[in-house]
């Protein structure tokens, strides 16, 4: 069942990743054309990140009540709806409507993030990090392929008679619809419901192709529906390990997004062309995803906390390497961005596995939803602060601030886990 679940989630992650990447690649450009303002175009990325944050808790709530299939269905359905709204906005040339569509479009990112947690429900003890990492790795295909499909999508849009610039959103719609179909049809039995039934000693759900898992008892369902969010906060307060994991994920994501978002601006000021910037970002994306199976194996092998501290060390090296690079030192910036991706991978994978294992099965979806919410909010806030730091001071100052943040987090993780390890 777990092998089948991982395969289904990987396929959904690939198709969903294509949808996110191809739509995101040109969203700011389309907003700029419709609004006539470069400043407003920056709201395109903010809208999709905001959407992913806003939909994290509803996705987790649906999973808490009806299983992972219900949560992922909600997320990808919102993404499909967002693409339809975007197509309407482009056809009518109403840019505020396009921003509203991009908020719903963020459901694609929310679904992809939730998929990694779905991979851990049926994991054997000591294997959750590597299973989670394989689903994260599947995102590599979509993330790398998506932007390269933007031009073919434009040609497809013209052949279909769509408005100019509508092609990428049409392709995103098809990708999200495919991910939605894969989840609805193939994610059976539902991994979370099966794990709950097994833990409670209930009869296991039927095999693939049979009816879905039996619904939880009415009292338990009502309890999860009423108190899912409160239960999530309570679980974080009661579990120091879960709180540490949540902070580590948020810090790793904030560090990555802050430096990554300002690197193209830094290189552009030095006269680097789009081709050079594209190569640097490609190396960064490779660092984020390509090594994720190795990171997951290492987290299962030596422990989640050690990999989290290791990830903070890699982020420290990345911040110092990229931040200390001269404006024309492309090689050093590229190496720094590659390490930045690897450090993020360590934080996300080890932190997500640690968070999952630190809370009871009944509370996991709520806690995981809070984690994704906080991660996206910190990412959005990080980009805003990074812009202020670079515009007011320098790119090197941003690297120094990031280095201080990850160093303090690494020291805190090491110090707060030492008593538990000794005991």
């Amino acid at each position: 069942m777990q092998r089948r679940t991982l395969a289904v989630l990987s396929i959904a992650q690939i198709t969903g990743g294509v949808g996110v990447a191809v739509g995101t690649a040109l969203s700011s450009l389309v907003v700029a054309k419709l609004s006539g303002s470069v400043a407003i175009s920056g709201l395109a990325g903010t809208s999709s990140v905001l959407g992913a944050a806003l939909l994290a808790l509803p996705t987790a709530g649906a999973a808490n009540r009806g299983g992972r299939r219900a949560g992922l269905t909600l997320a990808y359905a919102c993404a499909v709806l967002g693409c339809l709204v975007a197509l309407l906005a482009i056809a009518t040339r109403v840019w505020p409507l396009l921003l509203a569509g991009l908020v719903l479009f963020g459901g694609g990112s929310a679904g992809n993030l939730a998929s990694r947690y779905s991979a851990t429900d049926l994991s054997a003890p000591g294997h959750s990090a590597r299973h989670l990492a394989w689903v994260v790795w599947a995102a590599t295909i979509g993330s790398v392929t998506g932007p390269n499909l933007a031009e073919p999508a434009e040609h497809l849009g013209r052949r279909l008679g769509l408005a100019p610039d509508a092609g990428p959103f049409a392709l995103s719609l098809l990708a999200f619809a495919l991910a939605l179909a894969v989840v609805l049809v193939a994610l059976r039995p539902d991994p979370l419901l099966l794990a709950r039934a097994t833990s409670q000693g209930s009869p296991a759900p039927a095999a693939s192709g049979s009816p879905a898992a039996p619904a939880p008892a009415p009292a338990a369902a009502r309890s999860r529906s009423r108190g899912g969010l409160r239960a999530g906060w309570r679980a974080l307060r009661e579990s120091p390990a879960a709180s540490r994991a949540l902070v580590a994920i948020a810090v790793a994501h904030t560090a990555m997004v802050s430096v990554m978002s300002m690197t193209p601006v830094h290189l552009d000021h030095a006269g680097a062309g789009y081709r050079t910037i594209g190569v640097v970002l490609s190396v960064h994306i490779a660092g984020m995803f390509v090594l994720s199976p190795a990171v997951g194996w290492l987290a299962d092998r030596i422990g989640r906390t050690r990999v989290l501290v290791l990830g903070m060390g890699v982020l420290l090296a990345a911040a110092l390497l990229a931040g200390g690079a001269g404006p024309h030192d492309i090689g050093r910036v590229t190496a720094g961005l590659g390490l930045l991706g690897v450090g993020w991978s360590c934080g996300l994978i080890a932190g997500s596995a640690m968070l999952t294992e630190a809370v009871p099965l009944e509370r996991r979806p709520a806690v995981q939803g809070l984690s994704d919410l906080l991660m996206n909010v910190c990412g959005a806030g990080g980009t805003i602060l990074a812009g202020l730091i670079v515009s007011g001071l320098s790119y090197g100052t941003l690297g120094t601030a990031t280095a201080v943040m990850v160093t303090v987090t690494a020291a805190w993780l090491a110090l707060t886990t030492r008593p538990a390890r000794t005991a």
Side-chain angles (χ1 to χ4, degrees):
M1 290 298 182
Q2 176 65 343
R3 285 195 297 268
R4 174 184 172 84
T5 297
L6 292 177
V8 171
L9 291 173
S10 296
I11 294 172
Q13 185 83 313
I14 291 170
T15 55
V18 169
V20 171
V22 73
T24 303
L26 293 178
S27 61
S28 59
L29 179 59
V30 176
V31 171
K33 288 182 178 180
L34 295 184
S35 65
S37 170
V38 176
I40 292 177
S41 69
L43 295 177
T46 304
S47 297
S48 59
V49 171
L50 177 64
L54 293 176
L55 289 168
L57 290 182
T59 298
N64 209 34
R65 294 186 298 271
R68 298 293 186 185
R69 190 166 59 252
L72 295 177
T73 296
L74 174 64
Y76 289 129
C78 287
V80 169
L81 179 59
C83 290
L84 290 173
V85 173
L87 291 175
L88 177 62
I90 294 171
T92 57
R93 306 197 63 80
V94 180
W95 65 264
L97 183 61
L98 178 55
L99 293 180
L102 288 173
V103 172
L104 290 171
F105 182 90
S109 296
N112 287 349
L113 286 173
S115 292
R116 78 188 194 278
Y117 285 124
S118 306
T120 65
D121 293 326
L122 298 177
S123 295
H127 287 73
S128 60
R130 69 191 74 180
H131 289 171
L132 184 151
W134 276 112
V135 175
V136 172
W137 178 85
T140 309
I141 301 175
S143 299
V144 173
T145 304
N148 296 316
L149 295 176
E151 186 174 350
E154 282 290 342
H155 297 313
L156 174 64
R158 292 194 192 99
R159 290 188 176 185
L160 295 176
L162 298 175
D165 300 320
F169 289 102
L171 183 57
S172 292
L173 189 153
L174 293 176
F176 289 138
L178 180 57
L180 178 60
V182 168
V183 168
L184 282 173
V185 174
L187 195 60
R188 297 172 183 272
D190 188 283
L192 180 60
L193 297 185
L194 178 57
R196 284 174 172 171
T198 303
S199 66
Q200 294 169 1
S202 304
S208 169
S210 299
R222 287 194 298 269
S223 175
R224 285 196 291 270
S225 178
R226 289 194 305 266
L229 182 57
R230 286 176 296 176
W233 284 116
R234 192 182 312 119
L236 287 174
R237 290 195 301 268
E238 294 172 356
S239 173
S243 299
R244 286 193 295 270
L246 191 70
V247 171
I249 294 171
V251 168
H253 190 66
T254 303
M256 184 275 290
V257 171
S258 300
V259 176
M260 182 271 294
S261 64
M262 288 295 105
T263 298
V265 177
H266 177 64
L267 295 177
D268 180 68
H269 288 168
Y274 288 146
R275 189 175 202 176
T276 300
I277 295 173
V279 170
V280 173
L281 293 181
S282 295
V283 172
H284 171 66
I285 293 173
M288 291 173 64
F289 297 114
V290 170
L291 295 178
S292 53
V295 172
W297 175 85
L298 191 65
D300 284 336
R301 184 81 175 182
I302 68 173
R304 286 82 169 98
T305 301
R306 290 179 179 177
V307 173
L308 286 176
V309 174
L310 173 64
M312 296 300 159
V314 175
L315 289 171
L316 170 63
L320 295 177
L321 194 62
H328 300 284
D329 196 349
I330 304 300
R332 183 168 174 174
V333 173
T334 303
L337 266 289
L339 289 176
L340 189 72
V342 175
W344 174 86
S345 181
C346 291
L348 182 76
I349 292 171
S352 298
M354 184 175 176
L355 181 73
T356 297
E357 295 170 347
V359 295
L361 184 62
E362 288 295 313
R363 297 181 180 180
R364 281 180 188 172
V367 175
Q368 291 161 351
L370 288 173
S371 172
D372 286 345
L373 170 63
L374 180 62
M375 187 176 78
N376 281 294
V377 169
C378 287
T383 58
I384 295 173
L385 289 176
L388 294 174
I389 291 173
V390 171
S391 62
L393 297 170
S394 67
Y395 181 74
T397 304
L398 173 63
T400 301
T402 303
V404 171
M405 178 178 66
V406 298
T407 300
V408 170
T409 304
W412 175 69
L413 287 170
L415 291 174
T416 55
T417 54
R418 184 175 299 170
R421 189 162 58 248
T422 301

